[in-house]
Amino acid sequence: MQASKFAVCAVLILLLACGAHVSESVTCNPTELSPCMSAISSGSPPSPLCCSKIKEQQPCFCQYLKNPNLNKYVNSPNAKKIASTCGVSPPKC
């Protein structure tokens, strides 16, 4: 169960990060998206903290999409819905 939550967070990160370049101040860490786990797994609305983390990790999404363990979560319908709700464009890697 914990592995699937981590994967869901990673998917969100991938979706958001693909649209931006990685900046030097961002540390790419899919666990930073843990505040989004419940929204990704249940489809519930994201919390303000979740949106903040998604925006913070957005530069990392392309990196996360390249990871086969994270890709399926980042491309999930719930992850895309959360990104849209948080005002983050889908990644263009």
Side-chain angles (χ1 to χ4, degrees), residues 1-70:
M1 182 95 171
Q2 186 177 5
S4 65
K5 288 181 182 179
F6 175 78
V8 169
C9 285
V11 171
L12 271 181
I13 294 171
L14 288 176
L15 286 175
L16 301 175
C18 284
H21 298 287
V22 176
S23 69
E24 293 178 24
S25 63
V26 174
T27 299
C28 295
N29 182 353
T31 61
E32 289 292 316
L33 295 176
S34 62
C36 302
M37 288 198 305
S38 64
I40 293 171
S41 61
S42 69
S44 62
S47 67
L49 178 59
C50 171
C51 288
S52 172
K53 290 296 185 176
I54 286 177
K55 290 174 183 176
E56 177 185 294
Q57 290 289 303
Q58 185 176 5
C60 305
F61 287 173
C62 286
Q63 176 184 334
Y64 298 151
L65 283 171
K66 292 177 185 176
N67 182 325
N69 294 320
L70 303 177

